[in-house]
Amino acid sequence: MKNMRMKGFKMDGGVLPGFGPTLGYTVFYLSIIVLIPLSALIFKAASLSWHEFLEEVTAARVMASYRLTFGTAFLAALVNAVFGVLVAWVLVRYRFPGKKVVDALVDLPFALPTAVAGITLATVYSSNGWIGRYLEPLGIKVAYTPLGILVAMTFIGLPFVVRTVQPVLEELEAEVEEAAVCLGANRWLTFRRVIFPTILPALLTGFALAFARAVGEYGSIIFIAGNMPMVSEITPLLIITKLEQYDYAGATAVASVMLGASFIMLLSINLLQWWSRRYAER
Amino acid sequence: MDATVDWKLDKTSTVGHKGMSEPNSVRWLLTGVALLFLGLFLLVPLTALFTQAFEKGTGAYIAAIREPDALSAVRLTLLTAAISVPLNLVFGISAAWSIAKFQFPGKSLLITLIDLPFSVSPVVSGLIYVLLFGLQGWLGPWLDLHDIKIIFAVPGIVLATIFVTFPFIARELIPLMQAQGNDEEEAAMVLGANGLQTFFRVTLPNIKWGLIYGVILCNARAMGEFGAVSVVSGHIRGFTNTIPLHVEILYNEYNYAAAFAVASLLACLALVTLVAKSIVEWKLKISS
């Protein structure tokens, strides 16, 4: 890494051509597709008076949707953190038939369009669905309740923790664990004191990625959520509802809160990734 | 991925002495719980999807897919991907070349901005184009005057798709080209190749698999995007419905068999994507 950076510095004004045109095109395309449209949202939100804006973004129905969206996304990311480490561990350390297929299947939530995931989960977890029918007698209703939102958010966030933790576990040197064993640590102590601290930065990165994805998710949730205002209405859906009622000011205000949240999450994820890289280099 | 990992596994499980690995009972338990979790969340839904699709028989399945509205949704989805993937490909290459091969101030900010569409909610991604081109938006009145339709029409769908798939290819290429350094390109230039020759003969073969990987992911998302496209589409049957939107309409009409039949097309695309991804990951591992 350090080596590369040195080389890069030497390259300043070096022999390779095309810096001007490629950077120019990159910035141009980025501006047209991302920056100008996003600034349209910010300008539109800024055209509201502070009072109007606050009223829009703190209305009871909107607040309920934040609590539901961010709270459930947090729970889903927690579920994925626990099971993500477990799945990564099993995939890296153990051998079992069909392992390669399972490994490839972990990415299914990335590849499966969200609407398809949504209608499938809603069907499987409905009261006469393949899984729902066994939960119904236990008094657990999943589809059309906030629990359904948790299931959908867990589904779409599933690959993140696995894919961030897996490479760190693969890189883990056997010597470190051997040393712990030689010093008299048992397996559980070795995991807690040696392995877990090593995967922690990657785990937190995966957690943050899963959380960020779940907060913004729309397609897979609306089919299973029931979408009752105050109870099971997520914030992205509320934006669409406002838009369909031609309440552009309301939609823009709530969307700018979501955008602000995205910025904060992106920043934290970058910091976490920087931390895990530094951690890995040590 | 496999050759090296398996070797390592062997080392830890057979050479490694007692205490270096868990008792068999714990291994079985952990593997069982992990597989149960993946089964409940991935395998059961995937199987249910295809079962539902064929619930009313193969005839109904084919009829649902050959229905004119479904076919027009397929055409629109293919068109959208055919425009947005190449545009993001050109952008990805250009961004990766400038970022990986040169040093300049503000580089990490640029990388962060390229990542931005990943963390923006799809609904917000659609909304920004409505605010820009919709009747109430900045350019809306002007576009209306000149009879140009972007929102609730195909251009809006393409734009929203470009936005949500924007980072995919650039993100794959930037770290790859950074890791490969500049030595080979510099050598080619010193030996008298021009810039384009250097790119096509030296850089491109090196980044080939990463590029294909990025294109596969970009294409999967472009064909499957729902939230952003749903905001800008207006859901006009036969005109502005992509496959995911068509699935939604069928589902909301309680036409489940048809909804799952059309959805199974997208599920097949997802499975093909996973297989292609595994192959490319394997090739990447070999070449590095």
Side-chain angles (χ1 to χ4, degrees):
Chain A
M1 194 75 202
K2 214 176 245 170
N3 218 340
M4 234 175 58
R5 217 170 280 154
M6 302 257 296
K7 216 187 276 164
F9 268 121
K10 245 184 3 204
M11 270 310 300
D12 259 343
V15 287
L16 290 190
F19 176 62
T22 52
L23 184 66
Y25 181 70
T26 302
V27 172
F28 168 76
Y29 189 75
L30 176 74
S31 308
I32 290 202
I33 299 294
V34 179
L35 300 182
I36 294 173
L38 278 179
S39 61
L41 174 69
I42 295 166
F43 276 109
K44 178 84 182 175
S47 72
L48 301 172
S49 78
W50 183 239
H51 183 73
E52 275 176 303
F53 181 82
L54 267 188
E55 208 160 283
E56 288 289 355
V57 300
T58 58
R61 187 172 163 189
V62 184
M63 291 301 277
S65 84
Y66 297 147
R67 271 194 296 275
L68 177 72
T69 310
F70 287 88
T72 317
F74 186 81
L75 286 179
L78 269 185
V79 172
N80 276 325
V82 173
F83 285 96
V85 171
L86 178 66
V87 170
W89 179 266
V90 167
L91 284 177
V92 173
R93 293 299 173 102
Y94 303 156
R95 275 178 149 178
F96 52 90
K99 183 166 133 174
K100 276 184 197 162
V101 178
V102 172
D103 197 347
L105 204 63
V106 166
D107 282 327
L108 182 71
F110 281 160
L112 195 68
T114 54
V116 178
I119 63 167
T120 309
L121 290 173
T123 309
V124 168
Y125 284 92
S126 71
S127 52
N128 51 7
W130 284 12
I131 298 178
R133 76 173 72 146
Y134 299 106
L135 296 175
E136 186 91 347
L138 307 172
I140 305 171
K141 277 181 90 75
V142 178
Y144 319 120
T145 69
L147 196 58
I149 302 177
L150 180 67
V151 167
M153 284 179 168
T154 307
F155 174 83
I156 50 126
L158 194 148
F160 288 102
V161 173
V162 181
R163 292 304 183 225
T164 49
V165 170
Q166 203 176 11
V168 183
L169 276 179
E170 278 168 9
E171 294 294 314
L172 201 67
E173 311 249 342
E175 284 81 2
V176 188
E177 283 171 64
E178 272 162 23
V181 175
C182 292
L183 292 170
N186 66 23
R187 200 61 196 144
W188 175 234
L189 194 67
T190 313
F191 180 79
R192 250 179 44 213
R193 303 289 287 274
V194 177
I195 301 172
F196 188 72
T198 317
I199 62 172
L200 185 64
L203 173 60
L204 286 176
T205 308
F207 177 88
L209 286 169
F211 176 74
R213 175 74 206 264
V215 164
E217 180 57 19
Y218 172 72
S220 59
I221 298 175
I222 50 159
F223 294 101
I224 199 173
N227 306 326
M228 294 227 307
M230 306 298 290
V231 180
S232 53
E233 184 181 50
I234 53 166
T235 312
L237 176 68
L238 190 59
I239 295 173
I240 289 200
T241 311
K242 284 179 182 290
L243 203 59
E244 278 169 356
Q245 294 164 346
Y246 302 103
D247 177 9
Y248 286 86
T252 308
V254 177
S256 62
V257 170
M258 291 292 282
L259 187 65
S262 310
F263 275 125
I264 294 170
M265 289 184 293
L266 185 66
L267 204 67
S268 345
I269 290 166
N270 275 354
L271 280 174
L272 280 168
Q273 274 168 344
W274 173 78
W275 180 39
S276 9
R277 260 200 305 275
R278 255 186 35 153
Y279 210 86
E281 275 170 21
R282 256 197 298 161
Chain B
M1 158 175 312
D2 298 280
T4 49
V5 178
D6 278 353
W7 176 80
K8 221 180 220 167
L9 235 158
D10 276 341
K11 204 172 102 186
T12 43
S13 54
T14 55
V15 183
H17 45 82
K18 235 181 145 182
M20 272 304 289
S21 102
E22 299 75 43
N24 266 338
S25 56
V26 176
R27 289 175 160 243
W28 282 113
L29 183 72
L30 292 180
T31 313
V33 173
L35 290 182
L36 184 70
F37 174 73
L38 294 179
L40 279 181
F41 275 92
L42 302 179
L43 202 59
V44 170
L46 193 63
T47 319
L49 198 166
F50 284 101
T51 314
Q52 292 273 338
F54 286 99
E55 205 188 12
K56 292 196 175 150
T58 325
Y61 179 88
I62 293 171
I65 288 169
R66 291 191 56 179
E67 192 237 344
D69 287 346
L71 285 180
S72 88
V74 171
R75 269 197 298 275
L76 182 57
T77 294
L78 291 176
L79 174 74
T80 308
I83 298 172
S84 50
V85 175
L87 281 175
N88 284 335
L89 175 64
V90 172
F91 161 73
I93 292 173
S94 137
W97 181 266
S98 57
I99 288 171
K101 302 289 179 195
F102 301 91
Q103 290 299 322
F104 55 92
K107 192 158 144 173
S108 23
L109 177 70
L110 185 61
I111 297 177
T112 309
L113 288 177
I114 290 175
D115 270 352
L116 197 57
F118 270 157
S119 52
V120 174
S121 170
V123 169
V124 177
S125 317
L127 175 70
I128 56 178
Y129 289 104
V130 174
L131 293 177
L132 204 54
F133 300 114
L135 262 183
Q136 314 276 322
W138 279 0
L139 301 173
W142 185 87
L143 291 170
D144 194 43
L145 201 68
H146 293 81
D147 209 23
I148 304 170
K149 274 191 83 70
I150 292 184
I151 297 306
F152 306 144
V154 176
I157 294 174
V158 174
L159 273 173
T161 307
I162 292 176
F163 182 94
V164 293
T165 57
F166 182 85
F168 279 97
I169 297 169
R171 269 196 81 135
E172 288 304 324
L173 291 184
I174 293 169
L176 190 63
M177 279 166 72
Q178 273 176 336
Q180 278 167 352
N182 295 356
D183 294 349
E184 292 184 36
E185 281 85 358
E186 283 172 50
M189 298 296 296
V190 169
L191 289 173
N194 67 30
L196 282 179
Q197 278 172 331
T198 307
F199 175 74
F200 282 106
R201 310 279 278 275
V202 178
T203 312
L204 199 57
N206 278 338
I207 60 169
K208 185 176 60 185
W209 291 112
L211 191 106
I212 295 172
Y213 190 89
V215 167
I216 290 168
L217 295 182
C218 184
N219 178 64
R221 182 73 194 266
M223 291 192 170
E225 178 52 28
F226 175 72
V229 170
S230 161
V231 175
V232 295
S233 135
H235 304 92
I236 306 162
R237 253 185 129 137
F239 291 98
T240 62
N241 266 348
T242 58
I243 304 178
L245 297 176
H246 189 62
V247 169
E248 183 200 19
I249 289 184
L250 291 171
Y251 186 84
N252 286 342
E253 286 170 349
Y254 305 104
N255 194 349
Y256 295 132
F260 279 98
V262 179
S264 74
L265 292 180
L266 290 171
C268 287
L269 171 76
L271 292 178
V272 169
T273 303
L274 289 186
V275 171
K277 196 168 175 276
S278 305
I279 295 173
V280 171
E281 267 171 1
W282 176 66
K283 290 271 184 193
L284 266 174
K285 224 124 214 155
I286 291 179
S287 66
S288 65

